[in-house]
Amino acid sequence: MVNYNFLQNLPDADELPSSDDTPVDNELQTLVPALLRAILSYLWSSRQDWFFGFNMGVYHATGENPRVAIVPDGFLSLGVPNRRDSEGRKSYIVWLENNIPPIFVLECVSHTYGAEYDEKMKIYAKMGVRYYAIYNPNFYRRDRHEVFEVYQLVDGDYIRLPGEPVWMPEIGLAIGRGIGTFENWQREWLYWYDAEGNRYPTLEEVAYRERQRADRLAQLLQERGINLDD
């Protein structure tokens, strides 16, 4: 009898589509995870052991067909290279990432039913996703849930975590809502927080604070009669 090794016969990146070709029906599905990734890119600029993807196919071998991807709105993996090669990832293929599934997944609920509270939750649990967050600012009443919920995988099942922001020790970050501006749009966004509940700034906020500091310094020098151009 010939022994069949399932893992050795899984497809590689070139054999798999990069997404499910389903367009998002709400731009928040792209902007919310884009903001989270932008903050991480600044916060973890010296680290090379993480990857944050959004609207990208995640292929795993825990379902019925490894050629069928699930496409989270956003996801974070730790212990994987930030960049695999010069071309970047077409998709996230768990068996090509040392079998490391995402540790965190985010779904932003839209008008179209997306099975965020049932089928997707089961898939992520089976994959071993440690934290699963659902952001539902517009349809939470319809779905009979809260605007923002974070779940932790415990013994194969998701248990909702209380409070906000929600601390995730394995990641070293908390996540929660806050009012701010991103791409000139002021509204409620999701942000990363530290263990004390302090929100990490965006690049725009960092740049603004630096400009304010430079302006204060220039004003102080002017008041003292110091001209740096001399």
Side-chain angles (χ1 to χ4, degrees):
M1 178 180 293
V2 177
N3 291 325
Y4 179 77
N5 190 319
F6 175 72
L7 293 178
Q8 289 182 354
N9 289 276
L10 289 170
D12 61 24
D14 292 331
E15 298 178 64
L16 297 170
S18 58
S19 73
D20 60 358
D21 294 323
T22 301
V24 298
D25 65 4
N26 187 319
E27 61 183 320
L28 289 178
Q29 290 178 273
T30 296
L31 291 177
V32 169
L35 174 56
L36 290 172
R37 185 172 74 173
I39 297 172
L40 280 185
S41 294
Y42 172 74
L43 187 63
W44 289 351
S45 59
S46 62
R47 292 181 56 172
Q48 302 297 321
D49 63 341
W50 63 277
F51 176 74
F52 192 100
F54 57 91
N55 295 319
M56 173 184 285
V58 176
Y59 290 91
H60 56 100
T62 59
E64 294 181 1
N65 186 348
R67 293 180 178 272
V68 176
I70 188 167
V71 185
D73 290 320
F75 67 93
L76 171 66
S77 290
L78 299 179
V80 300
N82 193 262
R83 294 286 182 269
R84 286 189 62 87
D85 51 49
S86 60
E87 300 298 322
R89 291 173 171 87
K90 297 178 182 178
S91 55
Y92 188 89
I93 305 173
V94 172
W95 58 85
L96 299 181
E97 304 282 354
N98 293 322
N99 290 311
I100 298 175
I103 192 171
F104 169 85
V105 160
L106 168 69
E107 292 286 358
C108 299
V109 178
S110 62
H111 184 271
T112 304
Y113 175 69
E116 290 86 0
Y117 297 101
D118 38 64
E119 290 304 316
K120 283 187 176 179
M121 184 174 281
K122 294 176 184 177
I123 293 172
Y124 293 136
K126 197 170 182 180
M127 286 173 58
V129 174
R130 183 71 169 169
Y131 295 99
Y132 177 39
I134 305 175
Y135 184 46
N136 190 355
N138 299 317
F139 307 103
Y140 64 96
R141 290 189 180 92
R142 175 199 70 184
D143 298 330
R144 299 181 180 180
H145 279 269
E146 300 298 325
V147 173
F148 184 59
E149 299 177 353
V150 180
Y151 297 84
Q152 181 179 358
L153 190 64
V154 178
D155 296 329
D157 294 312
Y158 279 119
I159 305 299
R160 187 181 170 192
L161 298 175
E164 190 180 344
V166 178
W167 177 247
M168 300 173 289
E170 297 89 345
I171 301 175
L173 295 170
I175 190 168
R177 293 170 290 167
I179 301 297
T181 302
F182 180 55
E183 295 194 356
N184 295 317
W185 188 1
Q186 185 177 39
R187 56 156 286 126
E188 177 185 274
W189 299 98
L190 296 184
Y191 293 97
W192 302 114
Y193 292 78
D194 65 17
E196 284 71 46
N198 301 304
R199 179 167 74 81
Y200 285 109
T202 66
L203 287 176
E204 291 88 347
E205 290 169 335
V206 171
Y208 177 73
R209 293 173 187 175
E210 289 298 316
R211 287 195 300 270
Q212 282 189 317
R213 190 173 68 86
D215 290 344
R216 286 195 298 268
L217 178 59
Q219 182 178 359
L220 179 61
L221 293 176
Q222 184 179 20
E223 291 172 352
R224 296 183 177 180
I226 301 175
N227 190 347
L228 296 179
D229 294 329
D230 294 341

